[in-house]
């Protein structure tokens, strides 16, 4: 049966937001969404530049390839816990190769974000 990802939590950050990337006026931009549909007998991938999660105000510095444990809440399946790698970071650099951007988003690989400035 189809299901819906309704929320994500982690001890690594006080808030986790779900975003999708959409084409708009020749550029891509992120839009926050409240849920993610998972088709019956199918998958719903979370990847940089498409549907993805953002850990907001992490409680400690996150670096690429570090793993964090997430609790994914689904409408029908309930809660699923899994450890996932950090694949992007938009804060200050500390020698881990992550880039910093004033808009807080374009430092993520694969993201071309308009700044609106």
């Amino acid at each position: 049966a189809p299901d819906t990802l309704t929320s994500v939590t982690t001890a690594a950050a006080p808030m986790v937001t779900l975003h999708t990337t959409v084409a708009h006026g020749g550029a891509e931009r992120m839009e926050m969404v409240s849920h993610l549909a998972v088709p019956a007998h199918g998958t719903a991938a979370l990847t940089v530049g498409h549907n993805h999660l953002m850990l907001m105000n992490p409680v400690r510095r996150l670096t690429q390839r570090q793993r964090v444990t997430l609790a994914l809440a689904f409408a029908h399946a309930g809660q699923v816990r899994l450890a996932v790698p950090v694949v992007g970071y938009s804060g200050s650099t500390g020698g881990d190769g992550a880039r910093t951007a004033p808009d807080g988003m374009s430092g993520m690989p694969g993201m071309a974000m308009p700044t609106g400035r």
Side-chain angles (χ1 to χ4, degrees):
D3 208 342
T4 304
L5 175 63
T6 58
S7 68
V8 179
T9 58
T10 180
M15 181 171 57
V16 180
T17 57
L18 177 62
H19 293 85
T20 190
T21 303
V22 296
H24 183 74
E28 292 184 334
R29 73 166 203 245
M30 289 188 308
E31 290 184 1
M32 191 165 27
V33 295
S34 61
H35 62 278
L36 178 64
V38 181
H41 308 289
T43 61
L46 295 171
T47 60
V48 173
H50 300 285
N51 295 322
H52 61 278
L53 300 174
M54 293 179 65
L55 281 63
M56 309 304 288
N57 301 312
V59 297
R60 67 184 182 287
R61 181 161 165 54
L62 300 175
T63 58
Q64 292 178 337
R65 294 176 296 283
Q66 177 181 350
R67 296 183 78 75
V68 296
T69 300
L70 302 175
L72 284 72
F74 292 90
H76 300 292
Q79 192 175 89
V80 175
R81 297 181 64 80
L82 68 153
V84 300
V86 175
V87 295
Y89 178 75
S90 59
S92 61
T93 62
D96 64 358
R99 295 168 291 177
T100 302
D103 64 8
M105 303 301 169
S106 58
M108 295 176 63
M111 297 303 293
M113 301 303 300
T115 63
R117 297 181 192 135

